PDB file of all heavy atoms in Angstrom:
ATOM      1  N   LYS C  13      47.762  10.298 -67.133  1.00 98.00           N
ATOM      2  CA  LYS C  13      46.649   9.852 -67.802  1.00 98.00           C
ATOM      3  C   LYS C  13      46.143   8.670 -67.133  1.00 98.00           C
ATOM      4  O   LYS C  13      44.848   8.465 -66.993  1.00 98.00           O
ATOM      5  CB  LYS C  13      47.137   9.444 -69.271  1.00 98.00           C
ATOM      6  CG  LYS C  13      47.171  10.652 -70.245  1.00 98.00           C
ATOM      7  CD  LYS C  13      46.886  10.157 -71.658  1.00 98.00           C
ATOM      8  CE  LYS C  13      47.059  11.149 -72.689  1.00 98.00           C
ATOM      9  NZ  LYS C  13      48.428  11.203 -73.158  1.00 98.00           N
ATOM     10  N   ILE C  14      47.102   7.818 -66.717  1.00 98.00           N
ATOM     11  CA  ILE C  14      46.570   6.568 -66.004  1.00 98.00           C
ATOM     12  C   ILE C  14      45.786   6.897 -64.706  1.00 98.00           C
ATOM     13  O   ILE C  14      44.732   6.496 -64.431  1.00 98.00           O
ATOM     14  CB  ILE C  14      47.780   5.641 -65.628  1.00 98.00           C
ATOM     15  CG1 ILE C  14      48.404   5.142 -66.956  1.00 98.00           C
ATOM     16  CG2 ILE C  14      47.230   4.369 -64.877  1.00 98.00           C
ATOM     17  CD1 ILE C  14      49.696   4.349 -66.852  1.00 98.00           C
ATOM     18  N   ASP C  15      46.386   7.787 -63.883  1.00 98.00           N
ATOM     19  CA  ASP C  15      45.833   8.317 -62.639  1.00 98.00           C
ATOM     20  C   ASP C  15      44.366   8.766 -62.799  1.00 98.00           C
ATOM     21  O   ASP C  15      43.430   8.452 -62.308  1.00 98.00           O
ATOM     22  CB  ASP C  15      46.584   9.354 -62.002  1.00 98.00           C
ATOM     23  CG  ASP C  15      47.856   8.873 -61.383  1.00 98.00           C
ATOM     24  OD1 ASP C  15      47.997   7.622 -61.238  1.00 98.00           O
ATOM     25  OD2 ASP C  15      48.781   9.691 -61.005  1.00 98.00           O
ATOM     26  N   ALA C  16      44.256   9.731 -63.847  1.00 98.00           N
ATOM     27  CA  ALA C  16      42.961  10.397 -64.239  1.00 98.00           C
ATOM     28  C   ALA C  16      41.896   9.277 -64.668  1.00 98.00           C
ATOM     29  O   ALA C  16      40.752   9.321 -64.128  1.00 98.00           O
ATOM     30  CB  ALA C  16      43.113  11.442 -65.266  1.00 98.00           C
ATOM     31  N   ARG C  17      42.384   8.380 -65.398  1.00 98.00           N
ATOM     32  CA  ARG C  17      41.440   7.317 -65.907  1.00 98.00           C
ATOM     33  C   ARG C  17      40.961   6.391 -64.833  1.00 98.00           C
ATOM     34  O   ARG C  17      39.886   6.046 -64.782  1.00 98.00           O
ATOM     35  CB  ARG C  17      42.109   6.615 -67.093  1.00 98.00           C
ATOM     36  CG  ARG C  17      41.257   5.595 -67.735  1.00 98.00           C
ATOM     37  CD  ARG C  17      40.195   6.208 -68.496  1.00 98.00           C
ATOM     38  NE  ARG C  17      39.369   5.156 -69.155  1.00 98.00           N
ATOM     39  CZ  ARG C  17      38.053   5.374 -69.307  1.00 98.00           C
ATOM     40  NH1 ARG C  17      37.474   6.463 -68.952  1.00 98.00           N
ATOM     41  NH2 ARG C  17      37.424   4.365 -69.872  1.00 98.00           N
ATOM     42  N   ILE C  18      41.955   6.032 -63.944  1.00 98.00           N
ATOM     43  CA  ILE C  18      41.557   5.132 -62.881  1.00 98.00           C
ATOM     44  C   ILE C  18      40.542   5.777 -61.984  1.00 98.00           C
ATOM     45  O   ILE C  18      39.546   5.209 -61.480  1.00 98.00           O
ATOM     46  CB  ILE C  18      42.767   4.617 -62.102  1.00 98.00           C
ATOM     47  CG1 ILE C  18      43.655   3.698 -63.006  1.00 98.00           C
ATOM     48  CG2 ILE C  18      42.353   3.842 -60.831  1.00 98.00           C
ATOM     49  CD1 ILE C  18      44.901   3.167 -62.434  1.00 98.00           C
ATOM     50  N   ALA C  19      40.661   7.131 -61.678  1.00 98.00           N
ATOM     51  CA  ALA C  19      39.786   7.801 -60.870  1.00 98.00           C
ATOM     52  C   ALA C  19      38.252   7.811 -61.503  1.00 98.00           C
ATOM     53  O   ALA C  19      37.332   7.661 -60.807  1.00 98.00           O
ATOM     54  CB  ALA C  19      40.172   9.242 -60.584  1.00 98.00           C
ATOM     55  N   GLU C  20      38.343   8.016 -62.765  1.00 98.00           N
ATOM     56  CA  GLU C  20      37.015   7.993 -63.513  1.00 98.00           C
ATOM     57  C   GLU C  20      36.401   6.569 -63.441  1.00 98.00           C
ATOM     58  O   GLU C  20      35.168   6.502 -63.138  1.00 98.00           O
ATOM     59  CB  GLU C  20      37.257   8.260 -64.981  1.00 98.00           C
ATOM     60  CG  GLU C  20      37.342   9.617 -65.466  1.00 98.00           C
ATOM     61  CD  GLU C  20      37.719   9.673 -67.001  1.00 98.00           C
ATOM     62  OE1 GLU C  20      37.372   8.757 -67.696  1.00 98.00           O
ATOM     63  OE2 GLU C  20      38.399  10.664 -67.305  1.00 98.00           O
ATOM     64  N   LEU C  21      37.122   5.538 -63.621  1.00 98.00           N
ATOM     65  CA  LEU C  21      36.576   4.192 -63.524  1.00 98.00           C
ATOM     66  C   LEU C  21      36.060   3.854 -62.198  1.00 98.00           C
ATOM     67  O   LEU C  21      34.973   3.302 -62.005  1.00 98.00           O
ATOM     68  CB  LEU C  21      37.752   3.092 -63.947  1.00 98.00           C
ATOM     69  CG  LEU C  21      38.171   3.063 -65.324  1.00 98.00           C
ATOM     70  CD1 LEU C  21      39.177   2.022 -65.544  1.00 98.00           C
ATOM     71  CD2 LEU C  21      37.046   2.917 -66.369  1.00 98.00           C
ATOM     72  N   ALA C  22      36.722   4.313 -61.113  1.00 98.00           N
ATOM     73  CA  ALA C  22      36.375   4.134 -59.730  1.00 98.00           C
ATOM     74  C   ALA C  22      35.025   4.683 -59.505  1.00 98.00           C
ATOM     75  O   ALA C  22      34.208   4.064 -58.814  1.00 98.00           O
ATOM     76  CB  ALA C  22      37.450   4.490 -58.813  1.00 98.00           C
ATOM     77  N   LYS C  23      34.852   5.873 -59.957  1.00 97.00           N
ATOM     78  CA  LYS C  23      33.460   6.551 -59.778  1.00 97.00           C
ATOM     79  C   LYS C  23      32.410   5.853 -60.381  1.00 97.00           C
ATOM     80  O   LYS C  23      31.326   5.717 -59.892  1.00 97.00           O
ATOM     81  CB  LYS C  23      33.600   8.048 -60.309  1.00 97.00           C
ATOM     82  CG  LYS C  23      34.356   8.990 -59.552  1.00 97.00           C
ATOM     83  CD  LYS C  23      33.667   9.392 -58.273  1.00 97.00           C
ATOM     84  CE  LYS C  23      34.673   9.757 -57.154  1.00 97.00           C
ATOM     85  NZ  LYS C  23      35.182   8.774 -56.274  1.00 97.00           N
ATOM     86  N   ARG C  24      32.593   5.239 -61.636  1.00 97.00           N
ATOM     87  CA  ARG C  24      31.578   4.410 -62.341  1.00 97.00           C
ATOM     88  C   ARG C  24      31.370   3.284 -61.549  1.00 97.00           C
ATOM     89  O   ARG C  24      30.239   2.828 -61.409  1.00 97.00           O
ATOM     90  CB  ARG C  24      32.141   4.115 -63.728  1.00 97.00           C
ATOM     91  CG  ARG C  24      31.758   5.306 -64.772  1.00 97.00           C
ATOM     92  CD  ARG C  24      32.240   4.918 -66.128  1.00 97.00           C
ATOM     93  NE  ARG C  24      31.923   3.581 -66.634  1.00 97.00           N
ATOM     94  CZ  ARG C  24      32.564   2.928 -67.477  1.00 97.00           C
ATOM     95  NH1 ARG C  24      33.712   3.444 -68.076  1.00 97.00           N
ATOM     96  NH2 ARG C  24      32.155   1.696 -67.896  1.00 97.00           N
ATOM     97  N   ILE C  25      32.312   2.615 -61.050  1.00 97.00           N
ATOM     98  CA  ILE C  25      32.219   1.329 -60.195  1.00 97.00           C
ATOM     99  C   ILE C  25      31.436   1.643 -58.986  1.00 97.00           C
ATOM    100  O   ILE C  25      30.532   0.865 -58.612  1.00 97.00           O
ATOM    101  CB  ILE C  25      33.615   0.744 -59.888  1.00 97.00           C
ATOM    102  CG1 ILE C  25      34.242   0.290 -61.353  1.00 97.00           C
ATOM    103  CG2 ILE C  25      33.494  -0.404 -58.878  1.00 97.00           C
ATOM    104  CD1 ILE C  25      35.670  -0.077 -61.178  1.00 97.00           C
ATOM    105  N   GLU C  26      31.777   2.716 -58.205  1.00 94.00           N
ATOM    106  CA  GLU C  26      30.951   3.160 -57.106  1.00 94.00           C
ATOM    107  C   GLU C  26      29.478   3.240 -57.423  1.00 94.00           C
ATOM    108  O   GLU C  26      28.646   2.782 -56.631  1.00 94.00           O
ATOM    109  CB  GLU C  26      31.476   4.552 -56.677  1.00 94.00           C
ATOM    110  CG  GLU C  26      32.258   4.497 -55.332  1.00 94.00           C
ATOM    111  CD  GLU C  26      32.761   5.868 -55.128  1.00 94.00           C
ATOM    112  OE1 GLU C  26      31.977   6.879 -55.068  1.00 94.00           O
ATOM    113  OE2 GLU C  26      33.986   6.088 -55.076  1.00 94.00           O
ATOM    114  N   ASN C  27      29.171   3.847 -58.493  1.00 93.00           N
ATOM    115  CA  ASN C  27      27.785   3.997 -58.841  1.00 93.00           C
ATOM    116  C   ASN C  27      27.118   2.657 -59.309  1.00 93.00           C
ATOM    117  O   ASN C  27      25.932   2.512 -58.996  1.00 93.00           O
ATOM    118  CB  ASN C  27      27.560   5.002 -60.077  1.00 93.00           C
ATOM    119  CG  ASN C  27      27.895   6.392 -59.635  1.00 93.00           C
ATOM    120  OD1 ASN C  27      27.726   6.761 -58.456  1.00 93.00           O
ATOM    121  ND2 ASN C  27      28.364   7.168 -60.609  1.00 93.00           N
ATOM    122  N   ASP C  28      27.886   1.810 -59.859  1.00 94.00           N
ATOM    123  CA  ASP C  28      27.322   0.514 -60.361  1.00 94.00           C
ATOM    124  C   ASP C  28      27.234  -0.497 -59.137  1.00 94.00           C
ATOM    125  O   ASP C  28      26.454  -1.487 -59.450  1.00 94.00           O
ATOM    126  CB  ASP C  28      28.184  -0.016 -61.441  1.00 94.00           C
ATOM    127  CG  ASP C  28      28.157   0.806 -62.738  1.00 94.00           C
ATOM    128  OD1 ASP C  28      27.322   1.788 -62.836  1.00 94.00           O
ATOM    129  OD2 ASP C  28      28.923   0.641 -63.698  1.00 94.00           O
ATOM    130  N   PHE C  29      27.946  -0.272 -58.142  1.00 87.00           N
ATOM    131  CA  PHE C  29      27.823  -1.304 -57.051  1.00 87.00           C
ATOM    132  C   PHE C  29      27.370  -0.526 -55.769  1.00 87.00           C
ATOM    133  O   PHE C  29      28.033  -0.397 -54.932  1.00 87.00           O
ATOM    134  CB  PHE C  29      29.217  -2.018 -56.718  1.00 87.00           C
ATOM    135  CG  PHE C  29      29.697  -2.910 -57.856  1.00 87.00           C
ATOM    136  CD1 PHE C  29      30.491  -2.398 -58.856  1.00 87.00           C
ATOM    137  CD2 PHE C  29      29.368  -4.301 -57.737  1.00 87.00           C
ATOM    138  CE1 PHE C  29      30.877  -3.324 -59.837  1.00 87.00           C
ATOM    139  CE2 PHE C  29      29.829  -5.172 -58.722  1.00 87.00           C
ATOM    140  CZ  PHE C  29      30.598  -4.597 -59.793  1.00 87.00           C
ATOM    141  N   PRO C  30      26.149  -0.070 -55.748  1.00 74.00           N
ATOM    142  CA  PRO C  30      25.686   0.680 -54.545  1.00 74.00           C
ATOM    143  C   PRO C  30      25.338  -0.097 -53.532  1.00 74.00           C
ATOM    144  O   PRO C  30      25.336  -1.312 -53.485  1.00 74.00           O
ATOM    145  CB  PRO C  30      24.415   1.455 -55.176  1.00 74.00           C
ATOM    146  CG  PRO C  30      23.878   0.486 -56.179  1.00 74.00           C
ATOM    147  CD  PRO C  30      25.063  -0.365 -56.677  1.00 74.00           C
TER     148      PRO C  30
END
Side-chain angles (χ1 to χ4, degrees):
K13 280 209 187 87
I14 298 172
D15 285 348
R17 184 66 182 146
I18 291 179
E20 275 173 30
L21 293 182
K23 285 287 154 276
R24 279 177 48 203
I25 291 166
E26 247 175 61
N27 290 331
D28 292 351
F29 291 90

